[in-house]
Amino acid sequence: MLVMNMVQALNTALREEMRRDPRVVVLGEDVGRRGGVFLVTEGLIDEFGEERVIDTPLTEMGIVGVAIGMAMYGLRPVAEIQFIDFVYEAFDQIVSNAAKIRYRTGGMYSVPLVIRGPCCGGVKGGMHHSQSPEAYFGHTAGLITVMPSGPYDAKGLLKSAIRAEDPVIFLEPKSIYRIIREEVPEDDYTVPLGEGKIVREGSDVTLVTWGAMVHLSLEAAKLAAEKHGWSVEVIDLRTIFPFDKDLVIESLEKTERLVIVHEAPKSFGPGAEISAYIAENAIELLRSPIARVTGFDTPFPLAHEKYYMPNIARIYMALRKVMEY
Amino acid sequence: MSGLGIDRALGFYRVIDEEGRVVGEEPDIPSATLIDMYTYMVRARILDEWLLKLQRMGKVAIHAPNRGQEAAAVGASMALRREDWLFPSYRELGALLVRGMSEEEILDRALYNADDPLKGSDFAIYGHRKYNTIPAPVPVGNQIPHAVGAAMAAKIMGHDTVVMTFFGDGATSRGDFHAGLNFAGVFKAPVVFVIQNNMWAISVPLSRQTKAPTLAIKGVAYGVPGIRVDGNDVVAVYRVAVEAVNRARSGEGPTLIEARTYRLGPHTTADDPSRYRSEEEVKKYEKYEPIRRFRRYLIDRGLLDEEKDKELWEKWGEHTRKAIERSLEKPPLPVEVILEDVYSEPPWNLREQLRELRESIRVMKELGLEVE
């Protein structure tokens, strides 16, 4: 088994899927010779040529719009958005078309498209290179939204996304592109969409999170255990929508307390949906109010990003709040 | 300028060639203006090199090097009056200096210290209301329709303000470009579009951006005259920009200027151009670099000599070093700034979150956590 970082795992997933299925094509800005600005598509142009690894003119609207047409016709495009913050030019195409074509055409056409790109903060990327836009996509019926927290899941989830029959928004937390290395099997495995994973078992609090926040939450859980003996169960949701509600409820049956951690802003964020679902369907399990730790309700700042993003102190504050309620 | 200027959109206007020799008709520009142009270009080069160094020292988050593009930024922006508006992109240090920003103001921004007028909101964007220079949005080309709207507003409000905007060759592929040019044509907006065509959008060459013979010709389809100019010839850029600004001010509408230049450096400090273009190509374009040829021209005209030139570089080098020392000594922005300026008045959620932020700083200390 090879030890890989997330960039290498994503690159491997693309390469293997392109070898397996001639319908898979990659398109985006700088994905060819440059190999993508983070090198996720490095070397693909050498193996698969310019027909299948397409450097495009600079327009996300064009990239996504064209990818939708390719998908309708029969290809399996993987469209790279160089930084997910630039996806908004393509918003009309995603929301009005990728998400709605199956519904609009009575199921005659579908858009098996992956839109992938680096997201989230922690690299001093400033306002337009740091955002966590998953709530926009979770709110849009017809889309599946995914965010891996490590190399193993990244490879397995990207393969599932490419094979899915519906459009998948695949968000890659760039701050952990290279710092987390894991054993990644060379065989053709997938990680199913819609399934979360318990990454730390515990009995006092359920902490639901995803992406780079998984690692921060694990540190906070360790701190809480050392400091107070609190046992925190950490769930990596992996698929943000449709999220693994059964896994969360099973965990709450044991812990009876819920903390949700995400980088995206709080108001109308993904944590609000998870909280509402639990409040509607499992409120009797809870012995304390739900606590959310999120990015603040502001644009993502360049200055002081580590105070803006959830940090260990803020996760600890939330754990204390639910434990001492 | 007559009709739609198709010939000029396909042409290549120059005054000074790469050896500093006059080609064609030499416009009548006062000597002081020529020296000002040169000085701004020198200042931009010095500041650019320092921003690169400061990025490598870890003081500046990221920098988009300007090297090779100083003539387009300086030449075009010098055609504006102080009350005119400028919507720059992120590679126009020379234009910021022309608008009146000092090296220190630009450095305070780049270092996002306590004096940063944009309060640490994003990187690589500069501007200030007092200079009618609007900080650029980082998504490429977003400012193009804004410039058109500001120009339409000036016209509606009866002002004789002209609006100029800069953007790159990559931006011409965006919907913002289409909408901006189309509105400008339809509403005869007093706006001047300046494309800094530096031939590369990160790794994507111009040939992958368009199959049009030039970028200037794109204006024609919108009813906007296009002019293609040697973007490394500051005199030619200035001459064409003055013409476009005058047209706009006299109610004749917009102009699209394609300043053909070359990005001698990487896209940003995070880029590695060796992955996609050859050393030979860069070497070839070094020959067309704008400062050396303009210096040659000024010396040949007797407006500058080697001694004065050396003094000029030393003077602005020292000026910039001192500005850096002052900027580096300034304290960082207060943490609470991250929750400011979201609305005119913060709603309840931001007031709650300010309490959470303050509490988190206390808890950090309590837990002995170093966050930054």
Side-chain angles (χ1 to χ4, degrees), chain B residues 79-142:
Chain B
L80 296 172
R81 293 181 187 162
R82 203 179 162 87
E83 64 272 21
D84 291 336
W85 279 39
L86 180 68
F87 286 81
S89 178
Y90 47 72
R91 216 185 295 279
E92 285 100 21
L93 288 174
L96 303 174
L97 296 168
V98 169
R99 298 298 290 166
M101 290 183 79
S102 68
E103 278 82 354
E104 188 168 339
E105 287 175 296
I106 294 169
L107 286 156
D108 288 343
R109 174 75 270 274
L111 296 161
Y112 52 105
N113 63 30
D115 280 356
D116 174 8
L118 310 185
K119 303 186 194 171
S121 60
D122 204 357
F123 59 64
I125 61 165
Y126 304 93
H128 200 294
R129 195 175 179 91
K130 71 182 173 190
Y131 303 117
N132 290 337
T133 299
I134 286 74
V138 166
V140 162
N142 284 175

Side-chain angles (χ1 to χ4, degrees), chain A residues 30 58 60 125 297 303-304, chain B residues 123 174 203 209 333 349 353:
Chain A
D30 306 290
L58 199 166
E60 286 73 21
D297 288 341
H304 304 303
Chain B
F123 59 64
R174 301 257 312 187
S203 76
Q209 217 56 254
L333 285 157
N349 62 324
Q353 289 173 22

Side-chain angles (χ1 to χ4, degrees), chain A residues 163-178:
Chain A
R163 298 176 195 185
E165 296 303 324
D166 293 302
V168 178
I169 310 292
F170 196 92
L171 304 170
E172 302 162 5
K174 70 179 89 69
S175 68
I176 54 168
Y177 258 157
R178 292 180 185 277

Side-chain angles (χ1 to χ4, degrees), chain B residues 48-69:
Chain B
D48 187 53
E49 286 173 354
W50 269 111
L51 285 166
L52 204 57
K53 279 182 222 162
L54 288 164
Q55 196 277 336
R56 289 189 182 133
M57 288 159 65
K59 304 285 186 191
V60 166
I62 197 162
H63 176 58
N66 285 224
R67 188 179 160 74
Q69 298 185 220

Side-chain angles (χ1 to χ4, degrees), chain B residues 225-237:
Chain B
I227 307 174
R228 188 157 169 269
V229 59
D230 182 346
N232 287 6
D233 174 353
V234 68
V235 175
V237 175

Side-chain angles (χ1 to χ4, degrees), chain B residues 29-268:
Chain B
I29 299 171
S31 304
T33 306
L34 293 169
I35 291 295
D36 281 351
M37 281 177 191
Y38 183 68
T39 306
Y40 283 125
M41 288 165 69
V42 168
R43 286 173 64 188
R45 177 66 59 87
I46 292 169
L47 182 58
D48 187 53
E49 286 173 354
W50 269 111
L51 285 166
L52 204 57
K53 279 182 222 162
L54 288 164
Q55 196 277 336
R56 289 189 182 133
M57 288 159 65
K59 304 285 186 191
V60 166
I62 197 162
H63 176 58
N66 285 224
R67 188 179 160 74
Q69 298 185 220
E70 294 88 349
V74 168
S77 59
M78 278 189 70
L80 296 172
R81 293 181 187 162
R82 203 179 162 87
E83 64 272 21
D84 291 336
W85 279 39
L86 180 68
F87 286 81
S89 178
Y90 47 72
R91 216 185 295 279
E92 285 100 21
L93 288 174
L96 303 174
L97 296 168
V98 169
R99 298 298 290 166
M101 290 183 79
S102 68
E103 278 82 354
E104 188 168 339
E105 287 175 296
I106 294 169
L107 286 156
D108 288 343
R109 174 75 270 274
L111 296 161
Y112 52 105
N113 63 30
D115 280 356
D116 174 8
L118 310 185
K119 303 186 194 171
S121 60
D122 204 357
F123 59 64
I125 61 165
Y126 304 93
H128 200 294
R129 195 175 179 91
K130 71 182 173 190
Y131 303 117
N132 290 337
T133 299
I134 286 74
V138 166
V140 162
N142 284 175
Q143 73 278 17
I144 301 170
H146 307 166
V148 176
M152 288 170 67
K155 194 174 163 187
I156 291 165
M157 292 166 81
H159 301 166
D160 72 346
T161 308
V162 171
V163 182
M164 180 179 282
T165 181
F166 285 101
F167 48 92
D169 39 308
T172 64
S173 294
R174 301 257 312 187
D176 310 75
F177 174 82
H178 165 69
L181 269 283
N182 195 36
F183 272 61
V186 168
F187 296 103
K188 225 177 177 184
V191 60
V192 179
F193 303 100
V194 183
I195 308 170
Q196 284 223 51
N197 174 10
N198 70 13
M199 304 301 286
W200 289 96
I202 309 189
S203 76
V204 179
L206 184 68
S207 60
R208 203 68 196 244
Q209 217 56 254
T210 184
K211 278 284 178 258
T214 69
L215 293 172
I217 197 76
K218 291 190 171 200
V220 174
Y222 295 103
V224 175
I227 307 174
R228 188 157 169 269
V229 59
D230 182 346
N232 287 6
D233 174 353
V234 68
V235 175
V237 175
Y238 175 73
R239 156 79 181 65
V240 164
V242 166
E243 180 188 340
V245 167
N246 288 343
R247 276 191 79 238
R249 206 176 318 275
S250 61
E252 289 174 61
T255 307
L256 175 64
I257 297 170
E258 175 187 351
R260 167 75 161 76
T261 178
Y262 188 83
R263 190 191 81 210
L264 290 170
H267 164 67
T268 66

